[in-house]
Amino acid sequence: MTDPLVIFTPSGKRGRFPVGTPVLTAARQLGVDLDSVCGGRGICSKCQIQPSYGEFSKHGVTVADDALTEFNAVEERYDRVRGLKTGRRLGCQACIQSDVVIDVPPESQVHRQVVRKAATDRDIVMDPATALYYVEVAEADMHDPSGDLERLETALRDQWDIDGITAPLSVLRKLQPVLRKGAFKATVALNRDHNDGKHRLIDIFPGFDETPIFGLAIDLGSTTIAAHLCDLKTGAVIGSSGIMNPQIRFGEDLMSRVSYSMMNKGGDVEMTTVVREAINTLASELASEAQIDAARIMETVFVCNPVMHHLLLGIDPVELGQAPFALATAESMTLDARDLDLNALNPAGRVYILPCIAGHVGADCAAVALSEEPQKSKDLALIVDVGTNAEILLGNTERVLACSSPTGPAFEGAQISSGQRAAPGAIERIEIDPVTKEPRFRVIGCDLWSDEDGFAEATAGSGITGICGSGIIEAVAELRIAGLLDPKGLIGNAEQTGTARCEATGRTNSYLIHDATADGGPRITVTQGDIRAIQLAKSALYAGARLLMDEMGVDTVDRVVLAGAFGAHISAKHAMVLGMIPDVPLDKVSSAGNAAGTGARIALCSKAARTSIEQTVREITKIETAIEPKFQEHFVNANAIPHATDPFPNLLSIVDLPDVSFNTAGSGGEAGGRRRRRG
């Protein structure tokens, strides 16, 4: 019988192992980043893993309840003494019985993911929905039958011109003791709805309390969750952090998660539960790092794509997986934190979720529009938020268009043979000498290039572990520039390219970047399969942009803005060589950083911004790539590197792309073949 298939997330690495193989052994053989310091004796708990059960159509497996061996005595003892989270196993003790999908949580990874979604500087006119007000309330009186809440309302009306408030039961319970502790002087935290102007009592403190209150701006992505902790008076970002979205174990892309919900009863509830737990963990860690009381976090703003939007709210996303891709609601929402089980925050805190644009274009795209304001641009701007699902905006003062494009996780290092998420030791930059065909590279956590003195010593701690998204983009583009890759995406063999680094791998070839096997390290290559995965991802991205350009009636754009954490680390030149983005002068390509996160911060700090984006979203024209007949044509043409039909004159004026061909018959150009003339 065929050995069981083991699939590890978030790395995507997989392999077959005999029944009875410990999960830790399988992880080590596949090069999965799973920690262990006790030698597999079940003492250190570093190798905790989370198996997932049910049907995974994306992976083509069904995981049975008995896919791993039952809890053994070592795990039972550890659980009894130190405790294991629900569903967790020790990788050194759990053994493989049949096909299984196993998630390696962040705390079990030696090389933690670097969630590169730092806050960018932005001037914001402060107009927060939640603010503090000091009031002096009339004392209780035998001759006045009004309650404490009513007398608080009177004080707010007389002293702050605030008319009418509501109070949840949790705050009402503490109202009387707090008022009396402060001798009927108090500081209240009020949240004002930007639409109806009504005020809600979030918390109350005795006397004059000028301790800051805070808000969270959260970009809930399909791969990562990034949060900025902001002072609600000044707008200052006092902490930023991010974690992997634990839903990855149910599927790396959005449609895989929709499919998991369809195929597994209660699957949507599972995914909602784990993402809310992750948000609570992230909020608690941010509060701890900033040394503040988490109860002072009184408001949270979320931006997310439609599938994440529904799973956050506890809505089954099944309708988003089939035409007409209907949202349960596209409107903005204001909720209580407890509605989303956000118990790490102030229990009466408020949550605002930006509006979605359409079934596949979510609140994250609305946040990018709020941050970058294409509707105010005099020139034609193409704004691309690069991620597992790319959101694209094209517009100027006359019109704004939007679409989403299913790029998949390849840009983030998944589905790549030596790929990994961004973490210390991952190759993030690479150059290939067009004459010698030799590579040099940089890894996350080290500013030196691999051919510079001190590189080996500087990377001794992290090692060289794989290649992340920005690295694979540059690697493919550099292969093309160096003449090792032809326009169709074929890697030449050693004879055709003149370098032994191009190695035969079955019927195709691969390029060797780094070989540390002599020291027990990895062998990092770019394979033909890797090239194909990148071609598919970049073709979807470019085809989406071309559809918007068709609708706008243009063949060129004036400028390109790369948004998102990944977009911030992409080289503009390499992105254009690859054909990810339309041809423009390189100085017209800029990075907006985490624009979705910036939009979330703006909405957190400004009621006027919320009103503005709700109006803007209604004026954006949505293009549905899934039903556009020209999408496939654009997709096929975009498979070439950089493109089969679209000219790239700006690119070709600064970069020579060798005119080589490495077809399966082996006849094509030789190393250093004819070069395309400069435009």
Side-chain angles (χ1 to χ4, degrees):
M1 295 178 63
T2 304
D3 289 334
L5 176 65
V6 184
I7 301 166
F8 286 95
T9 64
S11 66
K13 293 182 178 179
R14 60 176 63 201
R16 293 192 178 275
F17 296 89
V19 170
T21 302
V23 171
L24 179 60
T25 301
R28 284 173 169 169
Q29 291 184 19
L30 289 174
V32 172
D33 192 18
L34 179 59
D35 203 357
S36 177
V37 297
C38 71
R41 290 176 291 175
I43 298 172
C44 71
S45 82
K46 299 293 186 182
C47 67
Q48 288 187 34
I49 51 96
Q50 180 98 28
S52 295
Y53 304 97
E55 186 171 344
F56 295 83
S57 56
K58 169 82 174 182
H59 301 306
V61 299
T62 298
V63 182
D65 292 342
D66 59 355
L68 297 180
T69 51
E70 294 183 357
F71 257 55
N72 64 15
V74 174
E75 289 177 294
E76 288 174 353
R77 184 185 70 243
Y78 184 88
D79 189 28
R80 184 175 62 255
V81 175
R82 299 179 63 182
L84 278 170
K85 288 185 179 179
T86 303
R88 291 279 180 90
R89 300 292 303 274
L90 296 181
C92 62
Q93 303 299 313
C95 296
I96 298 158
Q97 299 294 102
S98 60
D99 294 351
V100 65
V101 176
I102 294 173
D103 182 58
V104 180
E107 58 269 33
S108 298
Q109 297 172 19
V110 181
H111 306 289
R112 301 286 181 86
Q113 161 107 9
V114 179
V115 180
R116 302 190 286 190
K117 293 195 175 185
T120 53
D121 292 334
R122 180 63 66 95
D123 291 330
I124 302 172
V125 178
M126 292 301 295
D127 176 30
T130 304
L132 294 176
Y133 302 86
Y134 172 72
V135 289
E136 297 182 357
V137 182
E139 294 190 27
D141 190 328
M142 288 285 290
H143 302 288
D144 181 0
S146 64
D148 285 352
L149 180 62
E150 288 71 38
R151 281 181 283 103
L152 174 60
E153 288 185 274
T154 299
L156 285 166
R157 183 170 55 250
D158 294 344
Q159 297 165 38
W160 290 98
D161 198 27
I162 293 173
D163 193 11
I165 61 172
T166 59
L169 185 58
S170 60
V171 181
L172 194 58
R173 289 190 182 114
K174 64 189 296 187
L175 176 63
Q176 291 188 308
V178 168
L179 281 177
R180 281 148 185 82
K181 183 177 181 180
F184 287 90
K185 298 177 178 63
T187 303
V188 296
L190 295 180
N191 175 273
R192 183 183 182 187
D193 189 284
H194 63 288
N195 286 319
D196 60 21
K198 292 181 179 178
H199 287 83
R200 182 182 180 88
L201 184 61
I202 303 298
D203 213 335
I204 183 168
F205 311 97
F208 177 67
D209 188 333
E210 57 183 348
T211 306
I213 60 173
F214 304 93
L216 278 174
I218 297 181
D219 177 8
L220 174 54
S222 52
T223 301
T224 56
I225 308 171
H228 305 303
L229 181 63
C230 305
D231 186 314
L232 286 179
K233 185 174 180 64
T234 66
V237 178
I238 67 165
S240 296
S241 187
I243 57 175
M244 295 292 290
N245 187 332
Q247 293 175 342
I248 283 178
R249 69 175 181 262
F250 302 104
E252 290 177 326
D253 58 76
L254 297 175
M255 287 303 102
S256 294
R257 292 179 206 174
V258 174
S259 174
Y260 184 83
S261 179
M262 289 177 174
M263 301 294 185
N264 299 278
K265 186 176 181 180
D268 58 314
V269 177
E270 283 185 86
M271 290 186 281
T272 293
T273 299
V274 298
V275 80
R276 289 180 179 179
E277 288 175 350
I279 292 165
N280 277 312
T281 298
L282 182 56
S284 296
E285 289 177 351
L286 268 173
S288 177
E289 290 170 9
Q291 297 183 321
I292 68 165
D293 180 357
R296 304 290 295 198
I297 304 176
M298 301 199 180
E299 190 168 13
T300 305
V301 168
F302 281 99
V303 300
C304 42
N305 61 56
V307 173
M308 291 298 97
H309 175 276
H310 278 37
L311 289 173
L312 172 67
L313 292 171
I315 299 171
D316 192 332
V318 61
E319 292 298 332
L320 295 173
Q322 54 198 8
F325 314 112
L327 288 154
T329 178
E331 297 295 320
S332 65
M333 300 184 71
T334 302
L335 309 163
D336 290 336
R338 62 174 173 266
D339 291 336
L340 303 180
D341 300 324
L342 300 183
N343 46 39
L345 313 178
N346 187 294
R350 299 289 270 170
V351 170
Y352 176 74
I353 304 175
L354 270 70
C356 292
I357 296 174
H360 280 166
V361 186
D364 50 355
C365 191
V368 172
L370 178 58
S371 171
E372 300 307 305
E373 299 182 315
Q375 73 279 8
K376 296 182 181 180
S377 176
K378 293 182 180 179
D379 53 8
L380 187 60
L382 180 73
I383 305 167
V384 183
D385 192 351
V386 186
T388 307
N389 195 63
E391 279 84 25
I392 308 170
L393 291 162
L394 177 67
N396 53 22
T397 53
E398 295 181 6
R399 192 182 183 198
V400 178
L401 309 175
C403 75
S404 69
S405 210
T407 51
F411 285 153
E412 295 177 342
Q415 299 179 348
I416 302 299
S417 60
S418 298
Q420 67 168 85
R421 307 291 180 182
I427 295 173
E428 63 172 342
R429 299 286 314 279
I430 184 169
E431 293 177 352
I432 299 175
D433 188 301
V435 177
T436 66
K437 317 299 184 186
E438 287 297 300
R440 66 195 293 256
F441 53 83
R442 280 174 49 179
V443 301
I444 295 174
C446 179
D447 293 331
L448 298 174
W449 286 87
S450 58
D451 58 352
E452 292 181 314
D453 292 339
F455 176 81
E457 294 78 9
T459 58
S462 66
I464 301 164
T465 54
I467 187 165
C468 69
S470 60
I472 194 65
I473 293 297
E474 294 198 10
V476 177
E478 285 287 318
L479 287 170
R480 181 74 184 89
I481 295 170
L484 307 175
L485 184 75
D486 71 13
K488 291 184 178 180
L490 292 173
I491 302 173
N493 60 34
E495 182 182 358
Q496 291 170 320
T497 61
T499 175
R501 286 188 175 271
C502 289
E503 307 170 330
T505 309
R507 291 183 159 186
T508 60
N509 301 295
S510 59
Y511 177 80
L512 176 64
I513 296 176
H514 176 72
D515 188 356
T517 52
D519 300 319
R523 200 167 191 274
I524 301 171
T525 62
V526 179
T527 69
Q528 193 64 62
D530 298 338
I531 301 290
R532 185 58 180 159
I534 292 298
Q535 282 179 290
L536 293 174
K538 74 98 175 182
S539 297
L541 183 61
Y542 191 89
R546 279 297 316 184
L547 277 182
L548 297 189
M549 292 163 68
D550 289 347
E551 177 68 20
M552 194 70 80
V554 299
D555 289 321
T556 59
V557 299
D558 296 318
R559 60 187 177 94
V560 176
V561 179
L562 296 173
F566 180 58
H569 292 84
I570 299 174
S571 154
K573 181 184 82 171
H574 291 98
M576 202 170 294
V577 168
L578 192 61
M580 284 177 62
I581 55 177
D583 181 75
V584 295
L586 286 187
D587 62 359
K588 293 297 183 180
V589 182
S590 63
S591 169
N594 181 21
T598 300
R601 283 169 47 215
I602 294 170
L604 178 67
C605 296
S606 171
K607 297 191 300 292
R610 299 181 187 187
T611 301
S612 172
I613 193 57
E614 288 168 9
Q615 177 61 35
T616 297
V617 161
R618 288 191 282 268
E619 296 169 353
I620 293 176
T621 301
K622 168 64 170 60
I623 305 299
E624 180 52 70
T625 57
I627 61 174
E628 286 291 331
K630 288 203 71 174
F631 181 83
Q632 188 63 27
E633 178 185 336
H634 286 312
F635 181 87
V636 171
N637 287 333
N639 265 227
I641 301 175
H643 200 275
T645 57
D646 288 356
F648 276 69
N650 290 293
L651 174 66
L652 296 179
S653 69
I654 58 171
V655 176
D656 284 324
L657 296 181
D659 187 9
V660 294
S661 175
F662 307 123
N663 60 36
T664 53
S667 60
E670 298 178 358
R674 293 180 291 113
R675 304 181 80 84
R676 186 175 296 176
R677 282 183 298 195
R678 293 178 182 269

mmCIF file of all heavy atoms in Angstrom, residues 511-536:
data_model
loop_
_atom_site.group_PDB
_atom_site.id
_atom_site.type_symbol
_atom_site.label_atom_id
_atom_site.label_comp_id
_atom_site.label_asym_id
_atom_site.label_seq_id
_atom_site.Cartn_x
_atom_site.Cartn_y
_atom_site.Cartn_z
ATOM 1 N N TYR A 511 17.855 25.537 -11.163
ATOM 2 C CA TYR A 511 19.039 26.373 -10.954
ATOM 3 C C TYR A 511 19.414 26.314 -9.479
ATOM 4 O O TYR A 511 18.580 26.551 -8.600
ATOM 5 C CB TYR A 511 18.759 27.817 -11.374
ATOM 6 C CG TYR A 511 19.924 28.757 -11.121
ATOM 7 C CD1 TYR A 511 20.999 28.813 -11.993
ATOM 8 C CD2 TYR A 511 19.938 29.585 -9.997
ATOM 9 C CE1 TYR A 511 22.071 29.668 -11.764
ATOM 10 C CE2 TYR A 511 21.004 30.446 -9.763
ATOM 11 C CZ TYR A 511 22.068 30.484 -10.646
ATOM 12 O OH TYR A 511 23.130 31.340 -10.422
ATOM 13 N N LEU A 512 20.672 25.989 -9.209
ATOM 14 C CA LEU A 512 21.158 25.859 -7.840
ATOM 15 C C LEU A 512 21.614 27.221 -7.310
ATOM 16 O O LEU A 512 22.528 27.838 -7.857
ATOM 17 C CB LEU A 512 22.319 24.864 -7.787
ATOM 18 C CG LEU A 512 23.008 24.693 -6.421
ATOM 19 C CD1 LEU A 512 22.036 24.115 -5.404
ATOM 20 C CD2 LEU A 512 24.249 23.818 -6.563
ATOM 21 N N ILE A 513 20.977 27.671 -6.230
ATOM 22 C CA ILE A 513 21.360 28.932 -5.598
ATOM 23 C C ILE A 513 22.372 28.699 -4.484
ATOM 24 O O ILE A 513 23.385 29.395 -4.385
ATOM 25 C CB ILE A 513 20.121 29.653 -5.018
ATOM 26 C CG1 ILE A 513 19.153 30.040 -6.134
ATOM 27 C CG2 ILE A 513 20.537 30.893 -4.219
ATOM 28 C CD1 ILE A 513 17.861 30.658 -5.634
ATOM 29 N N HIS A 514 22.109 27.687 -3.644
ATOM 30 C CA HIS A 514 22.945 27.486 -2.459
ATOM 31 C C HIS A 514 22.885 26.026 -2.051
ATOM 32 O O HIS A 514 21.808 25.434 -1.994
ATOM 33 C CB HIS A 514 22.440 28.381 -1.316
ATOM 34 C CG HIS A 514 23.159 28.178 -0.018
ATOM 35 N ND1 HIS A 514 24.456 28.593 0.187
ATOM 36 C CD2 HIS A 514 22.747 27.607 1.156
ATOM 37 C CE1 HIS A 514 24.812 28.293 1.428
ATOM 38 N NE2 HIS A 514 23.800 27.694 2.030
ATOM 39 N N ASP A 515 24.041 25.449 -1.756
ATOM 40 C CA ASP A 515 24.097 24.046 -1.349
ATOM 41 C C ASP A 515 24.863 23.937 -0.030
ATOM 42 O O ASP A 515 26.070 24.160 0.015
ATOM 43 C CB ASP A 515 24.787 23.202 -2.425
ATOM 44 C CG ASP A 515 24.701 21.703 -2.128
ATOM 45 O OD1 ASP A 515 24.172 21.344 -1.055
ATOM 46 O OD2 ASP A 515 25.156 20.911 -2.968
ATOM 47 N N ALA A 516 24.143 23.623 1.040
ATOM 48 C CA ALA A 516 24.772 23.478 2.356
ATOM 49 C C ALA A 516 24.643 22.050 2.861
ATOM 50 O O ALA A 516 24.743 21.805 4.063
ATOM 51 C CB ALA A 516 24.144 24.450 3.343
ATOM 52 N N THR A 517 24.415 21.102 1.960
ATOM 53 C CA THR A 517 24.202 19.715 2.387
ATOM 54 C C THR A 517 25.439 19.124 3.066
ATOM 55 O O THR A 517 25.324 18.254 3.927
ATOM 56 C CB THR A 517 23.804 18.835 1.196
ATOM 57 O OG1 THR A 517 24.768 19.014 0.134
ATOM 58 C CG2 THR A 517 22.433 19.215 0.668
ATOM 59 N N ALA A 518 26.627 19.598 2.688
ATOM 60 C CA ALA A 518 27.848 19.075 3.307
ATOM 61 C C ALA A 518 27.889 19.379 4.801
ATOM 62 O O ALA A 518 28.521 18.660 5.579
ATOM 63 C CB ALA A 518 29.084 19.666 2.617
ATOM 64 N N ASP A 519 27.216 20.453 5.204
ATOM 65 C CA ASP A 519 27.170 20.846 6.614
ATOM 66 C C ASP A 519 25.827 20.511 7.251
ATOM 67 O O ASP A 519 25.498 21.038 8.319
ATOM 68 C CB ASP A 519 27.436 22.350 6.746
ATOM 69 C CG ASP A 519 28.804 22.743 6.201
ATOM 70 O OD1 ASP A 519 29.767 21.992 6.447
ATOM 71 O OD2 ASP A 519 28.900 23.786 5.531
ATOM 72 N N GLY A 520 25.044 19.667 6.579
ATOM 73 C CA GLY A 520 23.738 19.297 7.115
ATOM 74 C C GLY A 520 22.652 20.312 6.859
ATOM 75 O O GLY A 520 21.560 20.228 7.433
ATOM 76 N N GLY A 521 22.928 21.286 5.978
ATOM 77 C CA GLY A 521 21.947 22.318 5.669
ATOM 78 C C GLY A 521 21.143 21.989 4.416
ATOM 79 O O GLY A 521 21.299 20.911 3.821
ATOM 80 N N PRO A 522 20.294 22.918 3.964
ATOM 81 C CA PRO A 522 19.434 22.653 2.811
ATOM 82 C C PRO A 522 20.129 22.911 1.478
ATOM 83 O O PRO A 522 21.165 23.578 1.418
ATOM 84 C CB PRO A 522 18.291 23.654 3.009
ATOM 85 C CG PRO A 522 18.955 24.819 3.666
ATOM 86 C CD PRO A 522 20.003 24.230 4.579
ATOM 87 N N ARG A 523 19.527 22.362 0.470
ATOM 88 C CA ARG A 523 19.959 22.624 -0.914
ATOM 89 C C ARG A 523 18.854 23.485 -1.539
ATOM 90 O O ARG A 523 17.733 23.013 -1.738
ATOM 91 C CB ARG A 523 20.111 21.308 -1.658
ATOM 92 C CG ARG A 523 20.980 21.384 -2.893
ATOM 93 C CD ARG A 523 21.324 19.975 -3.370
ATOM 94 N NE ARG A 523 22.356 20.005 -4.390
ATOM 95 C CZ ARG A 523 22.100 20.181 -5.685
ATOM 96 N NH1 ARG A 523 20.855 20.298 -6.088
ATOM 97 N NH2 ARG A 523 23.079 20.216 -6.568
ATOM 98 N N ILE A 524 19.160 24.735 -1.833
ATOM 99 C CA ILE A 524 18.142 25.689 -2.281
ATOM 100 C C ILE A 524 18.248 25.873 -3.788
ATOM 101 O O ILE A 524 19.274 26.333 -4.302
ATOM 102 C CB ILE A 524 18.302 27.035 -1.550
ATOM 103 C CG1 ILE A 524 18.163 26.821 -0.039
ATOM 104 C CG2 ILE A 524 17.277 28.043 -2.041
ATOM 105 C CD1 ILE A 524 18.503 28.033 0.790
ATOM 106 N N THR A 525 17.183 25.489 -4.482
ATOM 107 C CA THR A 525 17.151 25.591 -5.939
ATOM 108 C C THR A 525 15.873 26.280 -6.385
ATOM 109 O O THR A 525 14.906 26.392 -5.633
ATOM 110 C CB THR A 525 17.207 24.195 -6.595
ATOM 111 O OG1 THR A 525 16.044 23.457 -6.192
ATOM 112 C CG2 THR A 525 18.458 23.440 -6.188
ATOM 113 N N VAL A 526 15.897 26.726 -7.639
ATOM 114 C CA VAL A 526 14.678 27.182 -8.313
ATOM 115 C C VAL A 526 14.364 26.136 -9.373
ATOM 116 O O VAL A 526 15.152 25.924 -10.297
ATOM 117 C CB VAL A 526 14.855 28.565 -8.963
ATOM 118 C CG1 VAL A 526 13.564 28.981 -9.669
ATOM 119 C CG2 VAL A 526 15.250 29.607 -7.929
ATOM 120 N N THR A 527 13.246 25.464 -9.241
ATOM 121 C CA THR A 527 12.886 24.388 -10.160
ATOM 122 C C THR A 527 11.941 24.889 -11.244
ATOM 123 O O THR A 527 11.386 25.988 -11.149
ATOM 124 C CB THR A 527 12.212 23.238 -9.402
ATOM 125 O OG1 THR A 527 10.920 23.677 -8.944
ATOM 126 C CG2 THR A 527 13.040 22.783 -8.214
ATOM 127 N N GLN A 528 11.742 24.047 -12.247
ATOM 128 C CA GLN A 528 10.791 24.395 -13.302
ATOM 129 C C GLN A 528 9.378 24.528 -12.715
ATOM 130 O O GLN A 528 8.591 25.377 -13.136
ATOM 131 C CB GLN A 528 10.808 23.334 -14.403
ATOM 132 C CG GLN A 528 10.085 23.759 -15.671
ATOM 133 C CD GLN A 528 10.743 24.956 -16.343
ATOM 134 O OE1 GLN A 528 11.891 24.904 -16.761
ATOM 135 N NE2 GLN A 528 10.018 26.059 -16.430
ATOM 136 N N GLY A 529 9.065 23.698 -11.728
ATOM 137 C CA GLY A 529 7.763 23.813 -11.060
ATOM 138 C C GLY A 529 7.606 25.135 -10.332
ATOM 139 O O GLY A 529 6.511 25.712 -10.303
ATOM 140 N N ASP A 530 8.690 25.639 -9.743
ATOM 141 C CA ASP A 530 8.652 26.940 -9.068
ATOM 142 C C ASP A 530 8.360 28.052 -10.081
ATOM 143 O O ASP A 530 7.562 28.961 -9.821
ATOM 144 C CB ASP A 530 9.988 27.236 -8.386
ATOM 145 C CG ASP A 530 10.329 26.229 -7.306
ATOM 146 O OD1 ASP A 530 9.405 25.567 -6.797
ATOM 147 O OD2 ASP A 530 11.524 26.107 -6.967
ATOM 148 N N ILE A 531 9.034 27.958 -11.224
ATOM 149 C CA ILE A 531 8.819 28.966 -12.273
ATOM 150 C C ILE A 531 7.352 28.968 -12.688
ATOM 151 O O ILE A 531 6.728 30.032 -12.832
ATOM 152 C CB ILE A 531 9.707 28.690 -13.510
ATOM 153 C CG1 ILE A 531 11.191 28.697 -13.125
ATOM 154 C CG2 ILE A 531 9.411 29.694 -14.616
ATOM 155 C CD1 ILE A 531 11.748 30.029 -12.766
ATOM 156 N N ARG A 532 6.790 27.780 -12.850
ATOM 157 C CA ARG A 532 5.394 27.682 -13.277
ATOM 158 C C ARG A 532 4.456 28.283 -12.231
ATOM 159 O O ARG A 532 3.502 28.993 -12.582
ATOM 160 C CB ARG A 532 5.033 26.211 -13.523
ATOM 161 C CG ARG A 532 3.634 26.002 -14.084
ATOM 162 C CD ARG A 532 3.454 26.747 -15.381
ATOM 163 N NE ARG A 532 2.125 26.559 -15.946
ATOM 164 C CZ ARG A 532 1.561 27.383 -16.820
ATOM 165 N NH1 ARG A 532 2.216 28.459 -17.240
ATOM 166 N NH2 ARG A 532 0.356 27.141 -17.307
ATOM 167 N N ALA A 533 4.724 28.022 -10.965
ATOM 168 C CA ALA A 533 3.871 28.580 -9.909
ATOM 169 C C ALA A 533 3.913 30.105 -9.926
ATOM 170 O O ALA A 533 2.874 30.771 -9.772
ATOM 171 C CB ALA A 533 4.317 28.053 -8.543
ATOM 172 N N ILE A 534 5.093 30.671 -10.136
ATOM 173 C CA ILE A 534 5.223 32.131 -10.191
ATOM 174 C C ILE A 534 4.556 32.677 -11.449
ATOM 175 O O ILE A 534 3.911 33.735 -11.423
ATOM 176 C CB ILE A 534 6.710 32.538 -10.121
ATOM 177 C CG1 ILE A 534 7.277 32.215 -8.738
ATOM 178 C CG2 ILE A 534 6.885 34.010 -10.449
ATOM 179 C CD1 ILE A 534 6.625 32.962 -7.594
ATOM 180 N N GLN A 535 4.705 31.960 -12.567
ATOM 181 C CA GLN A 535 4.032 32.402 -13.799
ATOM 182 C C GLN A 535 2.521 32.475 -13.609
ATOM 183 O O GLN A 535 1.878 33.432 -14.041
ATOM 184 C CB GLN A 535 4.366 31.445 -14.949
ATOM 185 C CG GLN A 535 5.736 31.654 -15.567
ATOM 186 C CD GLN A 535 5.993 30.646 -16.687
ATOM 187 O OE1 GLN A 535 6.165 29.456 -16.434
ATOM 188 N NE2 GLN A 535 5.999 31.128 -17.922
ATOM 189 N N LEU A 536 1.946 31.457 -12.989
ATOM 190 C CA LEU A 536 0.498 31.447 -12.775
ATOM 191 C C LEU A 536 0.073 32.609 -11.890
ATOM 192 O O LEU A 536 -0.945 33.271 -12.152
ATOM 193 C CB LEU A 536 0.068 30.119 -12.149
ATOM 194 C CG LEU A 536 0.219 28.872 -13.027
ATOM 195 C CD1 LEU A 536 -0.093 27.611 -12.225
ATOM 196 C CD2 LEU A 536 -0.697 28.960 -14.250
#
